[in-house]
Amino acid sequence: MGDEEDFTQLPLPDQFAHKNWKARKGGYETATKDFKVAQPNDSLVREFTDGQIWKAAVSDSNVAAQQEALAAYNAFLDASGTDGARKTRGSTVAGVVEKGLTGRPAAKQAAQETLLLLIELDKADPVIEELLPFLAHKQPKIIAATLAALTGLFHAYGCKTIEPKPVIKLLPKVFGHADKNVRAEAQNLTVELYRWLREAMKPLFWGELKEVQQKDLEKLFEPVKAEPVPKQERLLRSQQEAREEAAAQPDDAGGADGDVDGDEAGEIDLEPEYIAVDVFAKIPNDFSERLASAKWKDRKEALDDLFTAVNVPAMQDGPFDEVLRGLAKSMKDANIAVVAVAANCVECIAKGLRKGFTKYRSTILAPILERFKEKKQTVTDALAAACDAVFMSVGLADIEADVLEALKSKNPQVKEHSAHFLVRSLKTTKEAPSMEQTKEFAEAGKKLLTESVATLRDAGAEILGVLWKIMGDRNMLSHLDGLDDIRKNKIKEFCDAAEVKAKWKPKAAAPPPKANVAPAGKKPALGAKKVAPVGTKKPAAAPRIASPAPAEEAPLQPRPTSRPAVKAPAGLKAPGTGLKPPSGLQKPGTGLKAPSAISSSTASPQRHGVVFDEAPQLAAPKSGIAAPGRGLAGRPLGKPALPTSPSRNPEPASARSPPPQSALSSIERQELSELRTTVELLQQQNADLRNDKLRTASAITELQNQNAQLIEDHTRDVLQIKAKETQLVRARSDAESAEERANSLAKEIERLKREMGRLGRGRAPSDAPVDSPGVNGSDAPRPSAYGSRTYNVPSARAYGVDAYAGSGGALPSAAAATVPGDGEGKENIPDSTTASHLRFGLENNKLNSAAGTPSAVAPPSRPLSYGSRGAQSPDEGLPSTLAHAPSQQQHSYRSSTSVSSSSGGAGDGVESWRRAAEVTQNLKARIEMMKARQNVSRGQ
């Protein structure tokens, strides 16, 4: 043990490079202690400003020594500052990541602090560039450690200090890693980035993730959405210095130390970066000739080829003048398809060139705005997209002239779309417009408020509302004074609903120039007070305080008391007489007049003039008196005489009179500051009252609108009720008429039922025997009867169709016959055709009787129809049955039958057969129709 080598005697560089890990560990510990008390210019610090020494130290193979090496490196960085970080970070970051971040917990913490210090001392970009290659390392633990380190860096410095885009682009790759620890750290890093960027980061990587990964991240994002916007927790050295400087400034000198944190550094640019492409090689050489073709298809094809060439995210700058002139000419093309493709080409070129498109703005923007007269939606959408791309390339100030000119157009379409373009530009601009621009835009918006078209009025109100949102009440209320409450409320609604990216900030008054004027005074002692206006009055206070005799200070006070004495004529003589008495008599007088002098806040120029006139009178006797006791009045007057001529002595004396004025001016300044504070308070109260008035007027208007809406709803309800009542009245009337109709139909049905009842009673069969006639035509008595008062023609069975269907005997011909009725003597068979059919049926019954068939005639079950022969209408009578007739009538029927038999022949029989079949079919159809009518009437 005693033979062990003492490594502490070796120089530190030798201990750092020693083979024994204990020697290296001891050297690291010693270096840590020395660096904590070292200065940046010490030889020890300069000696270790070598990246190779620290590269071997932070990558030490012994974990215990490596932990101490990281602590020593952190102490060195703290001592060396920015210079040491810049010279060593290129060599040490790799070892810190591979050895430190994957080592023991203490080593991990020291390695994380190393990365934080390297960023703090200079900037973040070089450190991030060194870390990103480790996200593609072969060992998953190194990838996970690097992701964890990046999470800590973003948590400490935020996305405004560390550029997030390079890291976000690599997220899909690490999310696809096979190791679960790598994916877990990737999720943690993504959530940390989401804290700063929110939804703006998604377009850069979201589409490359799997759906499951997106759902998992959305769940992790939910708690973050409720958190406030994070703030930078650790400041760079440059930011710390800026904060210290801001803290050293007086409060009224700007004191905006809140901006040092970087919260107001502007929005984070998350636009994807693309490689610029040279598109001129892809543009056809004959583009201009084809664009000047007389055929619109050729022009459109030329523009399609141009669109294919320029449709790239970024392009190299070049001579696009001729191309843009051709596109501007295409804006006036008569074919809307050509105009739409030209607008798409302008949009691509503007997005590809970015700031390089500024020189082409005057060529293309005005024709695009003029073409807004087109009413087709697809064309106006393409033109609007082109205008937006132009604005993103040039800015608000460059489009101002063209937009204001378009707002003066006579075409309402051009005005409306130009106003909408201006609104979109104001919402997306990141720089608030100047006061002159605000005034011009406000005037244009107020002109649109007077338009007769409602859409133009709304567009004007929206312009003023967005301006109000950006510029605030202080700058916009003056532009809205001449408007009525209704328009103000409309503008206020647009203001509340607008989402803008720019906010007007008042430029702080520059007090440093005023402070610089104060040290320019004659006495440097006044520079410490930094009060420029009072700097000329303070020098008189120094001689008064520096005077050796205190008795001389009291007599100095009568000079301000002489001012009120000047007002009285006797006061002019009093000084002359007052000089002769002893000084003790003057002191009481001066003591009484001093308060009055102090009570007067300031002396007016007229009072100064009186003092100036009075001073020579007082100076004349004092100049002639050689007694030293009179020096109390001669001292102030004598001092100005040194630098100037004797004739000018009174004027400098009055100029040197500010000692009392300095006291009064301090009181005055205090009162003035109080008055200014009061004025500011009153102005603030006045502004609050105006805002309250606007809010109250808005609430009143809203209530009026609600009242009008309620009145309109009430009127609509009343009209609906009246309409329902009218419908009810009509429905009641229809119901009454339907009821009357139903009653009449019911009566008719009852009448028909009674008639059918009577017909049923008349169908009673007779018990008398019926003698059927022989086949050879011999007649026999055949009883038949009619059981009803009114009869229709019998059915086909009554005519004996079934009986004579197969017989070939002679059939009777048509003959006139009448059927006797009841006591009323009605005649139910009006023409000879019907009588002939009836006789034919009776004869057939005779034949059936002779053949042994019952002679009863079946009652007809349906109404009869007589076809085209002019038979009786079915409504003129009711169906009847033929029963057994009395014996008195049998003879007439037999005689008619015999006549028919004798006169008929074989030909007449066939013809009668055909006619009978035809009549039968007509009768069946008519009967069905009458039954259908009866069913309908019963249903009603």
Side-chain angles (χ1 to χ4, degrees):
M1 296 293 295
D3 296 338
E4 290 185 0
E5 183 180 357
D6 187 8
F7 303 115
T8 57
Q9 302 300 324
L10 297 174
L12 282 178
D14 294 342
Q15 294 183 34
F16 274 43
H18 205 281
K19 296 181 179 180
N20 194 327
W21 68 272
K22 293 182 180 181
R24 297 194 303 272
K25 183 174 181 294
Y28 300 150
E29 293 174 351
T30 304
T32 304
K33 295 177 183 179
D34 294 343
F35 285 133
K36 287 183 178 180
V37 295
Q39 297 296 327
N41 295 327
D42 291 349
S43 58
L44 176 64
V45 176
R46 292 197 303 270
E47 184 180 2
F48 278 88
T49 310
D50 184 5
Q52 297 302 321
I53 296 177
W54 292 111
K55 179 180 180 181
V58 297
S59 302
D60 201 302
S61 58
N62 187 275
V63 292
Q66 193 252 351
Q67 178 178 335
E68 296 299 331
L70 290 173
Y73 184 54
N74 293 341
F76 164 77
L77 291 176
D78 197 9
S80 62
T82 304
D83 186 63
R86 290 177 178 175
K87 291 182 179 180
T88 59
R89 64 192 175 195
S91 304
T92 57
V93 172
V96 169
V97 174
E98 293 178 347
K99 295 289 186 177
L101 293 178
T102 59
R104 295 178 178 179
K108 289 183 181 179
Q109 185 175 359
Q112 185 70 23
E113 181 64 23
T114 301
L115 297 176
L116 291 172
L117 274 173
L118 289 174
I119 294 177
E120 177 184 336
L121 293 173
D122 187 19
K123 56 184 179 180
D125 293 344
V127 179
I128 300 300
E129 290 177 0
E130 294 287 341
L131 291 176
L132 291 181
F134 289 99
L135 296 180
H137 202 275
K138 295 181 179 180
Q139 298 183 16
K141 66 176 183 178
I142 294 180
I143 300 177
T146 306
L147 291 172
L150 289 172
T151 304
L153 296 178
F154 280 108
H155 185 80
Y157 293 108
C159 291
K160 292 182 180 179
T161 304
I162 303 176
E163 177 63 34
K165 283 194 293 186
V167 179
I168 295 175
K169 292 178 181 179
L170 296 176
L171 287 178
K173 184 176 181 180
V174 293
F175 268 107
H177 201 279
D179 189 80
K180 62 179 182 179
N181 295 326
V182 174
R183 297 195 300 271
E185 292 297 338
Q187 284 185 346
N188 296 336
L189 177 58
T190 306
V191 172
E192 181 61 34
L193 291 171
Y194 187 81
R195 290 178 63 242
W196 295 88
L197 305 176
R198 304 294 178 175
E199 299 294 328
M201 64 179 289
K202 287 187 176 180
L204 296 177
F205 78 106
W206 197 255
E208 301 180 29
L209 299 181
K210 297 179 181 178
E211 186 177 356
V212 177
Q213 295 172 341
Q214 293 178 358
K215 292 181 180 179
D216 294 341
L217 287 176
E218 288 292 350
K219 293 179 182 179
L220 297 175
F221 291 162
E222 287 299 326
V224 179
K225 293 179 181 178
E227 298 178 1
V229 179
K231 294 184 178 180
Q232 184 175 342
E233 297 180 357
R234 187 161 178 166
L235 302 179
L236 303 178
R237 288 291 172 90
S238 59
Q239 294 174 342
Q240 294 175 13
E241 294 173 358
R243 169 169 286 187
E244 292 174 358
E245 293 178 359
Q249 295 285 341
D251 294 338
D252 57 351
D257 55 346
D259 296 345
V260 181
D261 297 342
D263 296 337
E264 303 295 334
E267 292 191 357
I268 303 169
D269 183 18
L270 292 178
E271 258 326 293
E273 297 178 356
Y274 301 101
I275 300 176
V277 180
D278 185 10
V279 299
F280 272 94
K282 301 179 181 179
I283 299 177
N285 296 329
D286 58 345
F287 170 73
S288 301
E289 291 78 6
R290 294 168 59 189
L291 193 60
S293 175
K295 297 181 179 180
W296 70 268
K297 290 185 178 180
D298 296 340
R299 299 194 299 271
K300 184 176 180 301
E301 290 177 358
L303 292 173
D304 288 336
D305 295 341
L306 176 64
F307 178 76
T308 304
V310 300
N311 189 17
V312 293
M315 62 181 67
Q316 297 179 2
D317 196 2
F320 285 93
D321 302 82
E322 185 177 357
V323 175
L324 267 299
R325 283 195 294 269
L327 294 176
K329 185 177 179 181
S330 298
M331 291 298 161
K332 302 179 181 180
D333 201 293
N335 190 278
I336 59 175
V338 175
V339 177
V341 179
N344 295 334
C345 294
V346 173
E347 179 184 2
C348 292
I349 295 175
K351 288 182 178 180
L353 292 178
R354 293 289 178 179
K355 298 301 180 182
F357 191 80
T358 305
K359 53 188 174 183
Y360 308 115
R361 185 265 315 161
S362 59
T363 304
I364 194 64
L365 184 57
I368 294 177
L369 295 176
E370 184 180 356
R371 187 62 186 190
F372 271 128
K373 63 185 179 181
E374 183 64 45
K375 296 182 180 181
K376 193 169 183 61
Q377 186 67 30
T378 55
V379 180
T380 55
D381 290 344
L383 294 173
C387 289
D388 293 341
V390 172
F391 165 74
M392 296 302 294
S393 301
V394 300
L396 186 62
D398 293 329
I399 69 168
E400 177 185 0
D402 293 328
V403 173
L404 292 177
E405 188 65 26
L407 291 176
K408 300 177 183 178
S409 176
K410 297 181 180 180
N411 193 309
Q413 292 281 344
V414 176
K415 286 184 180 180
E416 180 181 355
H417 290 287
S418 301
H420 291 163
F421 170 50
L422 177 58
V423 169
R424 294 193 302 271
S425 302
L426 290 173
K427 288 182 178 180
T428 55
T429 183
K430 296 180 181 179
E431 296 182 0
S434 62
M435 292 299 178
E436 294 77 8
Q437 292 174 346
T438 302
K439 181 179 179 181
E440 293 179 355
F441 290 148
E443 292 297 330
K446 288 194 289 186
K447 287 183 181 179
L448 291 178
L449 292 177
T450 61
E451 293 288 342
S452 59
V453 183
T455 55
L456 293 180
R457 295 195 299 270
D458 292 342
E462 190 172 4
I463 291 174
L464 294 173
V466 176
L467 281 174
W468 195 350
K469 186 79 170 183
I470 296 174
M471 305 302 293
D473 297 344
R474 184 187 300 272
N475 300 318
M476 282 301 298
L477 289 179
S478 59
H479 298 294
L480 305 177
D481 286 341
L483 302 178
D484 54 15
D485 292 339
I486 297 177
R487 290 175 177 173
K488 284 184 179 179
N489 295 331
K490 189 71 173 178
I491 295 170
K492 185 63 176 175
E493 291 177 2
F494 283 111
C495 175
D496 296 337
E499 295 181 1
V500 297
K501 296 183 178 179
K503 271 291 185 180
W504 181 82
K505 295 180 181 178
K507 294 181 179 179
K514 294 183 180 180
N516 293 334
V517 175
K522 295 180 180 180
K523 294 189 177 182
L526 297 175
K529 296 185 179 181
K530 297 183 180 180
V531 182
V534 193
T536 57
K537 298 180 181 180
K538 290 294 182 181
R544 186 177 63 179
I545 297 173
S547 61
E552 294 181 358
E553 294 181 358
L556 291 176
Q557 297 179 358
R559 293 190 62 203
T561 61
S562 63
R563 294 175 183 173
V566 177
K567 296 180 181 179
L572 298 175
K573 298 177 181 180
T577 58
L579 293 173
K580 297 178 182 180
S583 60
L585 296 177
Q586 295 176 354
K587 290 179 181 180
T590 56
L592 293 174
K593 295 178 182 180
S596 63
I598 296 173
S599 63
S600 60
S601 60
T602 55
S604 65
Q606 296 178 356
R607 290 182 179 179
H608 284 292
V610 173
V611 174
F612 295 161
D613 294 339
E614 181 184 2
Q617 297 176 1
L618 297 175
K622 290 174 182 176
S623 62
I625 296 174
R630 307 303 299 171
L632 59 92
R635 176 185 162 200
L637 298 174
K639 281 190 176 183
L642 295 176
T644 58
S645 62
S647 61
R648 302 291 293 176
N649 285 341
E651 186 174 357
S654 62
R656 288 293 183 179
S657 62
Q661 292 179 6
S662 63
L664 296 176
S665 61
S666 62
I667 298 173
E668 177 186 341
R669 287 196 305 274
Q670 183 178 0
E671 294 179 356
L672 186 60
S673 62
E674 293 177 357
L675 290 175
R676 287 176 178 173
T677 304
T678 306
V679 169
E680 292 178 358
L681 180 60
L682 291 176
Q683 290 177 351
Q684 183 65 29
Q685 292 177 354
N686 191 12
D688 294 340
L689 290 175
R690 283 199 300 267
N691 293 334
D692 293 340
K693 182 180 177 181
L694 288 176
R695 285 193 295 268
T696 306
S698 177
I700 292 173
T701 304
E702 184 177 358
L703 292 175
Q704 289 176 352
N705 294 335
Q706 292 179 359
N707 189 19
Q709 185 66 30
L710 292 174
I711 292 174
E712 183 179 356
D713 295 341
H714 177 69
T715 305
R716 189 185 303 109
D717 294 339
V718 170
L719 293 177
Q720 290 179 355
I721 291 172
K722 290 183 178 180
K724 295 296 183 182
E725 291 178 352
T726 304
Q727 293 178 0
L728 288 175
V729 171
R730 292 179 179 175
R732 290 193 188 100
S733 176
D734 294 341
E736 292 175 357
S737 61
E739 187 176 357
E740 292 177 358
R741 175 67 176 167
N743 292 335
S744 63
L745 291 176
K747 293 178 182 179
E748 181 68 19
I749 290 171
E750 290 296 331
R751 188 181 66 80
L752 292 175
K753 285 182 179 180
R754 288 194 298 270
E755 290 293 334
M756 293 180 67
R758 285 195 295 269
L759 291 176
R761 288 193 300 271
R763 273 194 318 224
S766 176
D767 297 333
V770 179
D771 296 330
S772 298
V775 180
N776 295 327
S778 60
D779 295 334
R782 181 176 181 269
S784 63
Y786 292 94
S788 179
R789 293 183 301 169
T790 59
Y791 301 94
N792 272 336
V793 178
S795 63
R797 186 176 298 276
Y799 293 113
V801 175
D802 295 337
Y804 66 75
S807 65
L811 297 177
S813 63
T818 59
V819 179
D822 55 1
E824 296 177 2
K826 292 183 179 180
E827 185 172 328
N828 291 305
I829 302 176
D831 54 5
S832 58
T833 306
T834 305
S836 174
H837 292 169
L838 181 59
R839 287 193 301 273
F840 173 65
L842 294 175
E843 182 64 22
N844 187 46
N845 285 336
K846 294 178 183 179
L847 296 174
N848 291 337
S849 299
T853 308
S855 60
V857 180
S861 60
R862 300 176 184 176
L864 302 179
S865 175
Y866 295 94
S868 61
R869 294 196 176 188
Q872 179 185 356
S873 175
D875 293 336
E876 296 177 0
L878 295 173
S880 61
T881 59
L882 292 177
H884 301 285
S887 59
Q888 292 84 358
Q889 298 175 357
Q890 290 180 4
H891 177 71
S892 62
Y893 287 111
R894 283 195 299 270
S895 60
S896 63
T897 301
S898 61
V899 172
S900 298
S901 300
S902 60
S903 61
D908 294 336
V910 175
E911 185 65 24
S912 298
W913 169 275
R914 187 179 294 108
R915 284 197 304 270
E918 191 176 296
V919 170
T920 301
Q921 295 297 327
N922 292 336
L923 288 174
K924 289 182 179 180
R926 192 63 177 174
I927 290 168
E928 291 293 334
M929 291 176 63
M930 290 189 67
K931 277 193 173 184
R933 288 186 181 181
Q934 291 178 2
N935 293 334
V936 171
S937 62
R938 290 175 183 175
Q940 293 178 351

